[in-house]
Every structure is written in C-alpha cells, then in structure tokens.
Amino acid sequence: MGAGRTSDERLEAAVALMSKIIGVLTSGGDCPGLNAVLRGVVCTAVKLGWKVIGFRDGYEGLLRDDGHMELTLQNTEGIMQRGGTILGTTNRGHFTRKAGPGGRSRLEPHIIARTKETLAKLNISALVTIGGDGSLATSQQLFEAGINVIGVPKTIDNDLEATESSFGFDSAVACVTDALDRLHTTARAHKRVIIVEVMGRHAGWIALHGGLAGGADVILLPEIPFSYERLLEALRNREESGHPSTIIVVAEGACPSGGREQYRATRPGEFRLGGIGESVAHELDRRMNRPALVKEIRTCVLGHLQRGGDPTTLDRILGTSFGVKAVDLIAAEKFGQMVSYQNCRVLSVPIASAVRRQKLVQRDCQLVETCRAIGISFGD
C-alpha cells in the first residue's frame, strides 16, 4: 500500500479498500455490449467485497433522488447477451455540453456541485462512466473538479483515437453485413442500384468494414470525397462487365468533392447527419440519361438498426474485459484514465488524451487498399 506506512495505516487502507462503494453509468447513444460492461464491473467489484451503485439514464441519474439502484450478481445475471442497457441512457439533459463539431463547453458549477453531493451522500468513492467522446469529455470535467472517474469508451463509430476498437462497433458492422447480404438478392433480381446509408458520423469505419464484409461494389466515406462522374463510371463499368446490379454503401457523413455534409432537422434548432443516401440517389437518377445506364434506384437507411440487437461474441468479450479493467484501475487508484484496447491488450490512457481527436479512415490505409484491389470503388 506504499512504503513508509505504519502497520495501522496499512490496515486502515486495506479496510477502506474492502468496503469501497463505486458508481457506474451508461451515457450517450445505446449500443450492444453495454450490459456486458456492467456485468464485468459488478462481477469484479463483488469479488473484491465492493458494492456497486448504478445510475439511471446516464449522468442525469446523478441529479435525481431516485436516479440510482444497487447492481448485484443477481440482477445482472444473464444481461451480457442482451442489447441496450439495463440502466437506461440519454444524450440530452444537464450534462450535454456540445459546442459545435468537436467542441465542448463547460459544465455549470451547480451541476458539478450536485453531482458531488450525490456521490458523497451515497458514499461513492469512484465513478465508472461508459460513453462516447461527448460523455468522456464530461468525465474529464468531473475529474478536473476532483471526482474520481474512470472512463470506458463506447462508440459504434469506432472513432476514438486512443483505442483500436470499442464494443458496439463489431455488432454495428454485423448489422450492415447482414443487410447487404439480403439486399444483394433483390438487387440482382430487379437489376437495381441499391444505396445503403449507414451510421458513423464523421468517420467511415462502419461503412468501410461493413461494405467490404457485405460485398458492396461502391463505398462512399467522409474521408474520401467522391465525384458523381466517377460513380457513373463505376456503374457503367459494372454494366459492361455483365453485372446488372450495384450495391452502394454510403456513410452518413460522406459528401461529394466541393460539397457539404447532409443534415436533417430533428427539432427546432437541432440537426443530425443524414440524408446523403437520398441525395446520391437523386443525383444518379438525374444523370443517368443514357439508355445503357437507365436504372431503378432504391435507398435503404439502416439507422438505429445498427445500434440494436444482441451483441456479437467479440463485443461481449470486449465489453466484459473493459468492465474488469475499470475496476482494476479503481483498485490501483489510477483515476482520470480511460480503458483502452491496444495491440490485443486492455490497457488505459488519460481521458484527456482520449477525447483530443477523432480516429478517421486514412485514404492509404490497408483496408482501403484491400477494397481497391478487389475492385470496390470509392468514387474518387
């Protein structure tokens, strides 16, 4: 427990460690694997003799008197294979402090004060926060305010620079792959062009992995601006080669050269990425004025199907491993850290460095080169 301590001090520290109460919450968008993390936290904590308090509906549970519940081995049994989160989650409310793309504004002092009050009232000595870049940015602010925080990365977009992968991503890719498998058959039957819009925000990882695994003919990514002339050329080449149908996967943040990302209004003053699939369909339909290129075009937006359903085997394993590591970091009193998967090992990095920049697809990365080698077009 540290050199120079007396036997009484070491005993006191050991007793404190054995009687620890920790909190945990799930914040931001839901995804498969969240329950696996919760189960990993509980199983590991109980083995140490700790008590676990779960906060409902993300950070918002910290502000409500009835916003928490005890998590035990009994009420977390059998949850690993379930999607969603038994605690609930939200990406709105008092802790949502986005200030434009990549920007964050500060939490209000009274929100931090109320959070500290709740944690003190429940005798919680450390808080595990499971979320994406926005949620982790909030975690960093809480840590800077003196709260013992451990972050666990959660994003289907796989866009956090500090971890090679996060749970939820593999399940999202599996959803895209399954959808493409189904759409290939109807595309061939009707000799159609089918455009599939997938999630990912400003990163194209879901489109890239899902498109490759699902046998897409064209993949449009945010990181590689595309040209409609090149898209038409790809369609023409397929037609001339005896392939009358085409599957195009487009990431929601993709845009043509010189163009802008597509946004949809979700409520007054609020916008969300989406609509590029319909835009591509409209432009292709408008430009297909040659007999050899006249095609029926259909658009499919997978949307929240990619967030739902049961987690894949990989996401169950990764989620559980992340939960175990979070408790290990608390035991070692390494606060302000985020669990990270690197070189096939679960390690940790400072939260501050984890939310500093996004992990984006590089034009010359090996997976892009693999796609090009087998004839997949990126419209560039």
Side-chain angles (χ1 to χ4, degrees):
M1 302 297 293
R5 290 188 180 182
T6 66
S7 59
D8 288 341
E9 288 173 332
R10 287 195 292 271
L11 178 60
E12 190 176 301
V15 171
L17 184 64
M18 290 297 293
S19 60
K20 199 178 283 286
I21 300 176
I22 66 173
V24 62
L25 59 83
T26 55
S27 178
D30 68 302
C31 76
L34 284 167
N35 285 324
V37 181
L38 295 176
R39 176 176 173 272
V41 168
V42 172
C43 289
T44 311
V46 169
K47 196 171 182 180
L48 293 173
W50 299 358
K51 182 178 178 181
V52 181
I53 300 294
F55 289 95
R56 297 186 178 96
D57 302 327
Y59 290 104
E60 295 299 303
L62 293 165
L63 305 181
R64 304 201 312 258
D65 292 336
D66 63 346
H68 61 274
M69 61 181 286
E70 183 176 357
L71 296 180
T72 66
L73 292 177
Q74 288 71 37
N75 63 18
T76 56
E77 183 176 2
I79 68 171
M80 177 179 65
Q81 56 267 44
R82 289 164 50 188
T85 163
I86 62 169
L87 290 178
T89 185
T90 182
N91 51 14
R92 303 184 186 279
H94 299 84
F95 291 84
T96 304
R97 295 297 171 200
K98 292 188 177 182
R104 298 289 184 272
S105 59
R106 304 300 298 177
L107 292 175
E108 296 176 18
H110 75 276
I111 297 297
I112 294 177
R114 180 65 187 279
T115 297
K116 288 183 175 180
E117 181 183 326
T118 298
L119 296 177
K121 184 178 179 180
L122 296 171
N123 295 315
I124 291 175
S125 56
L127 181 65
V128 178
T129 59
I130 310 168
D133 58 346
S135 299
L136 290 170
T138 297
S139 299
Q140 176 61 22
Q141 291 189 47
L142 295 181
F143 174 65
E144 291 168 358
I147 297 173
N148 295 332
V149 176
I150 297 295
V152 175
K154 176 272 324 168
T155 169
I156 67 170
D157 305 326
N158 200 33
D159 60 350
L160 284 173
E161 182 71 38
T163 183
E164 290 178 10
S165 186
S166 179
F167 64 90
F169 173 66
D170 188 65
S171 297
V173 170
C175 174
V176 175
T177 303
D178 179 67
L180 296 188
D181 288 347
R182 296 168 183 270
L183 290 169
H184 272 295
T185 59
T186 187
R188 293 190 190 105
H190 292 274
K191 300 179 177 61
R192 287 174 175 159
V193 174
I194 295 185
I195 299 169
V196 184
E197 182 179 320
V198 304
M199 286 181 167
R201 295 193 298 176
H202 308 288
W205 295 109
I206 294 177
L208 181 60
H209 283 250
L212 176 57
D217 307 300
V218 178
I219 301 175
L220 304 180
L221 305 178
E223 299 89 343
I224 305 178
F226 64 89
S227 158
Y228 282 109
E229 287 305 316
R230 288 301 179 94
L231 274 182
L232 289 171
E233 182 181 328
L235 294 178
R236 188 182 304 113
N237 289 340
R238 285 187 55 75
E239 192 78 24
E240 292 173 353
S241 300
H243 302 289
S245 65
T246 297
I247 298 289
I248 300 174
V249 173
V250 54
E252 62 185 356
C255 61
S257 300
R260 302 171 67 178
E261 295 172 328
Q262 298 283 311
Y263 286 87
R264 293 185 185 277
T266 55
R267 58 174 60 189
E270 196 170 290
F271 300 88
R272 183 173 299 162
L273 277 168
I276 183 61
E278 287 289 350
S279 292
V280 171
H282 174 75
E283 281 298 318
L284 288 181
D285 189 53
R286 186 176 69 84
R287 294 164 186 254
M288 285 180 174
N289 52 12
R290 301 178 187 179
L293 283 179
V294 173
K295 288 287 200 182
E296 280 191 276
I297 303 175
R298 296 289 185 270
T299 304
C300 178
V301 181
L302 295 186
H304 284 76
L305 285 171
Q306 297 158 88
R307 289 194 178 279
D310 300 333
T312 60
T313 300
L314 177 59
D315 282 341
R316 298 180 194 194
I317 294 171
L318 198 56
T320 302
S321 301
F322 278 12
V324 171
K325 184 63 176 181
V327 176
D328 288 345
L329 290 169
I330 293 175
E333 298 186 346
K334 294 183 178 179
F335 303 115
Q337 295 283 302
M338 184 196 82
V339 177
S340 174
Y341 183 71
Q342 302 174 40
N343 298 320
C344 299
R345 297 182 63 197
V346 179
L347 307 170
S348 69
V349 297
I351 296 175
S353 66
V355 298
R356 192 168 296 159
R357 62 176 183 173
Q358 287 183 307
K359 178 176 67 178
L360 301 176
V361 176
Q362 300 300 308
R363 301 178 66 114
D364 59 349
C365 76
Q366 189 172 36
L367 209 56
V368 170
E369 292 180 349
T370 296
C371 290
R372 293 189 191 278
I374 61 173
I376 295 176
S377 169
F378 289 90
D380 62 338

